[in-house]
Amino acid sequence: MTEMTEKKRGPWWKNTVVYQIYPKSFQDSDNDGIGDIPGIISRLDYLAGLGIGAVWLSPVYCSPQDDNGYDISDYQDIDPMFGTLEDMEKLITEAKKRDIRIIMDLVLNHTSDEHRWFQEAKKSRDNPYHDYYVWRDGVEGKLPNDMKATFGGPAWEWVPELNQYYFHQFSVKQPDLNWENPKVRREIYDMILWWMEKGVGGFRLDVIDQIAKEPDRGITNNGPRLHEFIREMSRETFQKGDLITVGEAWGANTENAKLYSNPDGSEFSMVFQFEHMAMDQQPGKEKWDLAPLPFVKMKQCMAKWQRELYQTGWNSLFLDNHDLPRIVSRWGDDKKYRKESAKMLATVLHGMQGTPYIYQGEELGMTNVKFQDITHYRDIETLNLYRERMEQGYREEEVMRSIYAKSRDNARTPMQWSAEENAGFTKGTPWIEVNPNYVEINAEEEREDPDSVFSCYRTLIQLRKEYPVFIDGKFELLMEEDEQIFAYTRTSEDEEILVCANFTKEPARCPLLGEWKDARILIHNYDREAGETLMPYEALILWRGKVRT
Ligand code: GLC
């Protein structure tokens, strides 16, 4: 890179694409049916072939697995089901050899109730660890207030030995840490520094906007001391390294995102915000209460984030993760146009400004799963939802419809490596069943096929490396009110691109393409001359150098 482009391109994490691994479902090496770290190591060449520069690893720490590892009982050791600390060190080294950095998942809002701190904390009120958690005095059966936990039931759990309740925003096995206590914060920072010394490339911070809770005032996210805590943590830890940091913040808006991702580096590199992911549900209700995607609103929302964070922050770009259904089933068409729509969604996303995240299997166009009944599901949130809604008198059919559309298990079925038994994920019995469509949809089929979804992702990753306009170009939404077309330009000093996509099953007029007919085609998901009409889910990116005037 010339000095000029280097300056425009900024830090490494603006120029990379991150791949998220959900370890339990990625690759099993010892045939116990659960993915593990040696399994990940065996697939690093696959990831290098895709072209990604970092892997975000969902939690592999010691955990009773009440919430699949998001309930940590020891931050400084690896759960035996995933391997050993030596395996983890080997993963970091082997990844580095392939220019891939490892991003650890930090769950700092809560621990497992089996964490040593909590075991101590509940022994007595004057135990030195008692104040590591959030307690309220009370009488049994009379909760401090009516706050609810995300996974169902009240957010308070009674401990008879202490005559106190502890606060938990997630399951009863995930007690919230007390960030008001400086000792808690110091323990956390020391732990982060320890991982930094091991050579990790960054951190993803689980539900970080919920750490500064004030339960007496009903405050869970965006508490008054939130940014103070984050800045202190960043100063004490992240700023001592050259890391990528991404906070998960369901309560983020464009204003606080500018704080989280302030270019002065005082907080994180970026945040995961979910505004676009909460649009296909009934307003004011839960994600299970389905509604069609309001397409124009969704475009406007994405455009708003692009516009607002331009030069004042940095976006993370994602449509999939381990908590979300598969995007091709959600916003695309997972039947007739599976390939076309998966590529279209990738093209629209990867053309934007920000750091793209690919969730395992997304690069194959993996789809949602439809298990026959609730007994096949494993996710605590899904199981609790089923129980609650059945008790409330919903029809089973209706509950299952929500689960088919939104259950987190849609994303958690094993990675589809090949057409072999269990998709090549394990020779044992997988902890959750494989999606039966692995026979057609799998990595082996796709890797060498230039027309596959995999090849489309590989090309998109490559384009970001070749054309700086993907990194610094200014975003502008076009055809804003159009009900079928998602079109935008990215413009920098000397280049511009047009990203144009048909989001529907019907052909769509796109006169813009006429104006760009002499431009270079960087990527196109149909093997045809691009006219002014786009076929179902057709998408392309055009490039032209700017003539200086
Ligand atoms: C985050 C994680 C999710 C987990 C929750 C509680 O949202 O992504 O998987 O259940 O936090 O830790």
Side-chain angles (χ1 to χ4, degrees), residues 125 130-131 133-139 142-145 156-159 162-167 178 180 213-217:
R125 290 181 182 216
H130 184 261
D131 199 29
Y133 295 87
V134 181
W135 301 93
R136 291 296 177 265
D137 295 345
V139 270
K142 192 173 176 316
L143 304 171
N145 62 29
W156 299 100
E157 183 70 9
W158 179 246
V159 178
L162 300 182
N163 272 332
Q164 282 187 315
Y165 287 93
Y166 68 84
F167 181 65
N178 176 16
E180 301 287 332
K213 50 246 156 189
E214 290 196 4
D216 300 323
R217 297 203 286 147

Side-chain angles (χ1 to χ4, degrees), residues 437-456:
N437 65 18
Y438 71 88
V439 186
E440 301 93 53
I441 307 172
N442 63 66
E444 203 172 73
E445 282 278 319
E446 296 201 23
R447 255 173 95 175
E448 303 306 327
D449 173 7
D451 190 37
S452 64
V453 179
F454 179 90
S455 294
C456 169

Side-chain angles (χ1 to χ4, degrees), residues 26 130 230-231 290 403 426 440 465 533:
F26 191 62
H130 184 261
I230 294 176
R231 279 187 209 129
L290 313 176
I403 290 174
T426 182
E440 301 93 53
K465 294 180 184 161
T533 299

Side-chain angles (χ1 to χ4, degrees), residues 67 70 110 151 170 204 206-207 248 322-323 408 412:
D67 183 20
Y70 284 90
H110 46 267
F151 297 153
F170 294 90
R204 176 259 186 190
D206 191 65
V207 292
E248 183 201 27
H322 65 293
D323 294 328
R408 307 196 294 183
R412 297 177 181 186

